[in-house]
Amino acid sequence: MRHTVNMMKKFVLIIASFISLFLELSLIRWVPAHVFSVAFFSNVILIASFLGLGLGFLLSGKKWEMFRVFPWFLLIFTIVILLLENIQITLPSNAETWIWSYYQGNRLYVPALKISIIAALGIVFTLIVLIFIPLGQKIGKLMAEFSPLYGYTLNILGSLFGVICFGIFSFFNTPAFVWFFITGFLAVLILYKDKIFIAALFITVLVTIIIGVSEKNITWSPYYSIQLLRGEDKSLSVYVNQLFHQKAVNFDKDLHAGDKYGFPYKWFNTDRVLIIGSGTGNDVCVALKAGAGYVDAVEIDPVILNIGRKEHPQQPYDDNRVRVFTGDARSFMHNASMPYDMIVYGTLDSHANLSVTSSIRLDNYVYTREALQEARRLLSTEGVMVLLFSVPTDWMSARLIDTVRSVFGNEETRYIFTSDPYLFNLMIFAGPGLTKALTEHPDLSRVLSAPPKESMVKIPSDDWPYLYLEKRGIPKLYLITLLMLAGISIAAIFTLSPLKGGKINLFFFLLGCAFLLLETKSVTTLSLLFGSTWLVNAVVFSAVLFLALAANWLVMKIRFKSPAWLFGALVLSLIASYFFPIASLLSLGFFSKVVAASFLIGLPIFFAAIIFAIAFKSTKHIGAALGSNLLGAVIGGFLEYGSMAFGLKALYIAALACYLLAWVYYRSLDYT
C-alpha cells in the first residue's frame, strides 16, 4: 500500500512538472497570437512563468492548497487575453526599435479601443504570474515528499516530457485548443480526489471550447498563428499574429507587382537562382517566368510554404526546376556550395523572436555582415545578390545599404527606392555581376544609385544582430517595460512571500540568474550554427534538461566533498567559450560540428548543473532553494536585454560574474 501511494506521488509530481513546462511553451506561442505585438517580448512570458513558479515554491510551506484555483485562473486568463485581442495595442513613436505594428494598416482588423503596449504587457505579465503560483506551490509540496535531489530529478523528468510533447505538437501543427485541453485535463487528474474535481473538468471543457471557437479561422505553424485573406483577383494575403506578412500575388492579374518583382531579372543572368525566404512563392514564380533554369527556394515556415504550394495562383513550387528546402536560410548557406547567378533576399521580415529566452528576432542572423559574406561566397563570377525589403525608416535603409557595402564594396553596390511601397520599397544590388551589367546597360546605371556617404548607423554582426534597433543600447520602450515588470516582480515578492526568515537563498538565486544567461547564449549560438528554427530551440531545451538529469545521476552516485574544483572548471569553460571563434566551426561537417558545439556549449552547462545538484542535495528548504533559483532566473531574463547594448558574448561575462559571486557566497556562508 505504501509503495502504491509513493508511486502515485511520483506520478503526480511528474504530471505537475509536465504542466509547468508545457503550459509555459503554450502561452509563449498563444498569447502573441491574440495580444498585438507581444511576439516581440516573448521572453516576458518566460520571465513571468519563472516568477510565478518561484513564488509558488516559496509558498510551498503554507498549508492552504492553492492548486485548487488553478483551473479558475486558467479560465480567467483565457477570457482576458481574448478580450485584449479586441483592443488596439499602441506603441510610442520614439521607441528606438522597429515593431511592425507601427503599420496600423497592416492589421487584419483595427479595434476602436486602445491601450499602450506597456500596459498590455503589465496585464499579461501579472496574469501569467498568478497562473503559475499555484502550480509552483503544488510542485514544491510534492517535492517535499522526497529527498531533495530525487524530487528534483522527477521534476526535471516531467519538464523534459513537457518540452518533448510540445515539440511533437509543433511538428504536427496542432491547434491551440488541444494544448489547453491537455493542460486542463492533466490538472483535473491531479485534482481527481478533490471536491472541485467536477468544476475543474467543466472549466477544462469550457476553456477548450472557447479557444476552439475563437480560433476556427486560425492555422498554427511552429512560429505563428496564421490567417488567410483571399482577394477578388485570386491573390492570397497571409497574416501572422494578426499582422500582414506576405501576399501570394496573382501575376496574371497584378501586372504592377509583376513588373516590380521582375525588375532585377531584366539585367542579370538568371540561370541558377537561390531565393532566401521564398514564402508563398512570389520570387520563385518570377524567376521561372524570367527563364531561370534552376531555382533553390529556402523557407523556414513549413505551413506558409505549404500554403504557397497549394494556393499560389501560378503554382510555382510544382515546377520541376524548383528544389525546396524547409529550414533556416543561414543554415542553408552554411552548407551550400553551388555558385548561383542570382541570390534573392525575399523580404525576410520576421514577426517573432528567435527563442523564448532571447530578444533576437527570427530573421536577424540573415542580415548580419557575416551572413552577407556567406552569400557573396555562393555567387558565380558574374553573379549578383538582390536584397528586397520593406523599409520603414531612414536609419534602417542606411543600415542595410552600409552592411551590403561593407561586404561588396562601393563599386559592387547599388540600390533603388521605389516610389510605391507596395510589398517592398527598397532593392539593393551587389556582386561581381553588377559591374558588367552597369557597363552593358546604360539604362540600369541611370536607374540605380551609388551608395551614399557611409552613415553612423551600426552594422549588424553575429555578436550584435539587432537589425531593428536604431543604435546600440537598450531602447527606451524596453527600458520602461523592464522597469515596470521589475516593479511588479518586487511587489509580488514582498506581498506574497515577505523577504524574511531566510526565504531567499542568495546562492541558488545567483545560480538561477547565471544559468538563464548561459541557456540564452547557448540557444543563440546553436541557432547560428544549425539554424534559427523551432526544432533547434526544442533540442537545446531538451539537451539542457538531459544534462541536468545526468548531473543529478552523477551526484547521486558519487560523493563530492566540495564543488570548489567544479567552480574552477566552470569558470575556465566560460572563458574558453567567450574567446572561442564560433565561426571556425561553420566549415566543419555536420557531425563534427555537432560534437564540437556540444562540447563547447554543453560543458559549462554540465558543470553548473553538477554544482546545483551538489548544493541542492543537502538543502534543508527545498521550496526556498528552488524558489530562489527561479527568481534568479527572472533577473537573468531581465539581464538578457543587456546584449542589445553589449553584444551576445557579454552574456558569458554576466554569467561568469554571477557564478563568481555564488562561489564567494559559498565560501563565506553555509548555502544550505
Side-chain angles (χ1 to χ4, degrees):
M1 182 66 180
R2 182 179 298 177
H3 176 72
T4 303
V5 172
N6 195 45
M7 286 298 295
M8 183 58 67
K9 289 179 179 178
K10 293 178 184 178
F11 179 67
V12 174
L13 175 54
I14 290 173
I15 289 178
S17 301
F18 176 100
I19 294 173
S20 69
L21 242 297
F22 187 85
L23 179 60
E24 178 184 304
L25 296 174
S26 297
L27 297 186
I28 287 167
R29 288 278 305 284
W30 187 71
V31 173
H34 296 281
V35 184
F36 201 41
S37 292
V38 171
F40 305 112
F41 299 85
S42 60
N43 68 337
V44 166
I45 302 173
L46 178 78
I47 293 168
S49 304
F50 284 163
L51 177 60
L53 288 171
L55 290 171
F57 278 119
L58 292 177
L59 293 169
S60 60
K62 302 292 183 181
K63 291 183 179 180
W64 38 287
E65 180 63 69
M66 298 181 67
F67 192 71
R68 291 172 181 166
V69 302
F70 174 77
W72 293 101
F73 280 4
L74 190 62
L75 175 61
I76 294 169
F77 176 81
T78 301
I79 293 171
V80 172
I81 295 300
L82 292 176
L83 287 175
L84 283 174
E85 183 180 46
N86 299 297
I87 298 176
Q88 172 68 32
I89 308 296
T90 62
L91 292 145
S93 58
N94 60 346
E96 300 174 343
T97 181
W98 178 256
I99 293 178
W100 297 108
S101 52
Y102 285 125
Y103 282 148
Q104 300 301 345
N106 271 22
R107 288 203 60 171
L108 193 58
Y109 62 92
V110 181
L113 298 176
K114 293 183 179 181
I115 188 175
S116 73
I117 182 68
I118 296 171
L121 286 169
I123 293 170
V124 170
F125 186 83
T126 302
L127 289 173
I128 292 174
V129 170
L130 292 174
I131 287 177
F132 278 90
I133 288 174
L135 196 51
Q137 190 204 39
K138 186 65 176 179
I139 296 172
K141 285 180 175 292
L142 290 166
M143 288 181 64
E145 301 287 336
F146 305 96
S147 64
L149 202 54
Y150 188 78
Y152 179 53
T153 300
L154 294 175
N155 173 241
I156 295 174
L157 196 60
S159 301
L160 179 60
F161 289 154
V163 173
I164 293 173
C165 184
F166 196 80
I168 293 171
F169 281 7
S170 296
F171 179 80
F172 288 105
N173 306 318
T174 311
F177 73 84
V178 176
W179 316 340
F180 284 84
F181 175 76
I182 294 295
T183 299
F185 177 74
L186 293 177
V188 168
L189 284 183
I190 294 175
L191 294 167
Y192 79 103
K193 286 187 177 181
D194 200 285
K195 60 184 178 181
I196 69 159
F197 170 76
I198 299 299
L201 183 59
F202 173 77
I203 291 170
T204 297
V205 174
L206 182 60
V207 167
T208 303
I209 292 173
I210 290 172
I211 294 175
V213 171
S214 67
E215 297 181 355
K216 60 182 182 296
N217 296 321
I218 288 178
T219 301
W220 286 90
S221 83
Y223 304 97
Y224 309 109
S225 70
I226 298 176
Q227 291 169 277
L228 304 177
L229 186 63
R230 290 173 171 80
E232 293 181 0
D233 61 351
K234 296 184 179 180
S235 64
L236 188 70
S237 295
V238 179
Y239 288 78
V240 300
N241 294 344
Q242 301 184 54
L243 282 167
F244 176 74
H245 189 252
Q246 56 186 275
K247 181 179 182 179
V249 177
N250 185 350
F251 290 105
D252 293 336
K253 301 283 187 180
D254 194 341
L255 301 181
H256 172 61
D259 290 339
K260 197 169 186 178
Y261 271 102
F263 178 80
Y265 298 91
K266 297 177 181 178
W267 317 98
F268 304 101
N269 177 25
T270 58
D271 184 42
R272 292 167 297 183
V273 178
L274 169 63
I275 296 171
I276 300 297
S278 60
T280 50
N282 290 337
D283 296 284
V284 177
C285 181
V286 175
L288 294 173
K289 283 191 173 186
Y294 188 93
V295 178
D296 280 346
V298 183
E299 170 58 38
I300 194 171
D301 195 311
V303 174
I304 289 178
L305 181 62
N306 195 47
I307 291 170
R309 285 183 188 275
K310 293 180 178 179
E311 303 203 39
H312 194 287
Q314 278 73 47
Q315 301 287 294
Y317 287 118
D318 290 344
D319 195 292
N320 58 17
R321 290 173 289 172
V322 179
R323 290 196 310 171
V324 179
F325 299 87
T326 306
D328 173 69
R330 186 71 183 273
S331 179
F332 177 88
M333 290 193 289
H334 289 337
N335 301 311
S337 58
M338 177 183 291
Y340 294 98
D341 300 309
M342 181 180 287
I343 298 177
V344 179
Y345 271 58
T347 59
L348 289 85
D349 49 0
S350 173
H351 292 55
N353 280 359
L354 181 148
S355 82
V356 298
T357 63
S358 172
S359 55
I360 299 172
R361 298 194 195 175
L362 197 60
D363 56 330
N364 281 21
Y365 276 132
V366 184
Y367 291 104
T368 65
R369 180 174 180 172
E370 292 88 342
L372 292 178
Q373 288 172 338
E374 291 187 2
R376 183 177 186 178
R377 175 183 64 83
L378 294 174
L379 288 175
S380 64
T381 54
E382 294 185 358
V384 65
M385 183 199 74
V386 181
L387 191 154
L388 311 177
F389 208 92
S390 181
V391 176
T393 63
D394 291 338
W395 60 263
M396 194 179 295
S397 61
R399 169 168 291 155
L400 288 168
I401 294 169
D402 282 355
T403 306
V404 173
R405 172 176 36 200
S406 72
V407 173
F408 291 90
N410 270 311
E411 296 303 316
E412 291 188 3
T413 303
R414 294 291 186 274
Y415 73 96
I416 179 174
F417 276 109
T418 63
S419 56
D420 178 11
Y422 177 52
L423 299 176
F424 54 88
N425 60 0
L426 173 67
M427 285 188 268
I428 303 176
F429 300 83
L434 179 62
T435 305
K436 180 181 177 182
L438 291 173
T439 302
E440 293 180 350
H441 304 286
D443 290 346
L444 178 64
S445 183
R446 286 190 288 270
V447 171
L448 299 184
S449 301
K453 183 179 179 181
E454 190 171 343
S455 68
M456 299 299 291
V457 178
K458 179 175 173 57
I459 293 174
S461 66
D462 284 349
D463 187 52
W464 193 85
Y466 296 103
L467 173 66
Y468 303 106
L469 293 189
E470 184 174 357
K471 56 188 177 182
R472 185 186 280 267
I474 303 176
K476 187 181 299 181
L477 173 61
Y478 285 90
L479 277 174
I480 295 172
T481 301
L482 292 175
L483 287 173
M484 176 197 66
L485 299 183
I488 294 174
S489 302
I490 293 170
I493 293 170
F494 273 93
T495 302
L496 300 176
S497 181
L499 294 175
K500 60 183 180 181
K503 283 287 185 182
I504 300 296
N505 187 311
L506 183 59
F507 181 76
F508 285 104
F509 180 90
L510 290 168
L511 291 185
C513 181
F515 199 81
L516 194 282
L517 293 167
L518 195 54
E519 185 177 34
T520 301
K521 185 63 181 76
S522 299
V523 170
T524 56
T525 300
L526 289 177
S527 295
L528 176 62
L529 293 174
F530 299 103
S532 302
T533 66
W534 70 271
L535 184 58
V536 169
N537 281 298
V539 169
V540 172
F541 297 133
S542 298
V544 168
L545 292 171
F546 269 119
L547 287 172
L549 282 176
N552 285 5
W553 178 84
L554 196 64
V555 172
M556 284 190 285
K557 293 294 182 182
I558 301 175
R559 184 177 180 84
F560 290 87
K561 293 183 178 179
S562 169
W565 69 272
L566 288 166
F567 270 104
L570 174 59
V571 168
L572 290 175
S573 64
L574 286 173
I575 293 173
S577 297
Y578 180 85
F579 286 105
F580 188 87
I582 291 295
S584 64
L585 299 181
L586 297 176
S587 59
L588 298 178
F590 178 78
F591 290 106
S592 299
K593 190 163 59 175
V594 168
V595 172
S598 299
F599 184 78
L600 183 70
I601 293 168
L603 208 57
I605 291 176
F606 188 55
F607 286 137
I610 295 176
I611 291 170
F612 180 90
I614 292 172
F616 195 71
K617 183 179 181 180
S618 56
T619 188
K620 298 181 179 68
H621 308 286
I622 294 176
L626 277 179
S628 301
N629 189 250
L630 287 167
L631 293 180
V634 170
I635 301 303
F638 289 146
L639 291 177
E640 186 273 331
Y641 286 96
S643 63
M644 293 179 169
F646 304 107
L648 292 168
K649 291 180 72 174
L651 297 180
Y652 280 133
I653 297 176
L656 178 61
C658 289
Y659 281 125
L660 288 175
L661 286 173
W663 168 243
V664 171
Y665 184 78
Y666 167 81
R667 292 291 303 271
S668 65
L669 191 66
D670 181 9
Y671 59 84
T672 60

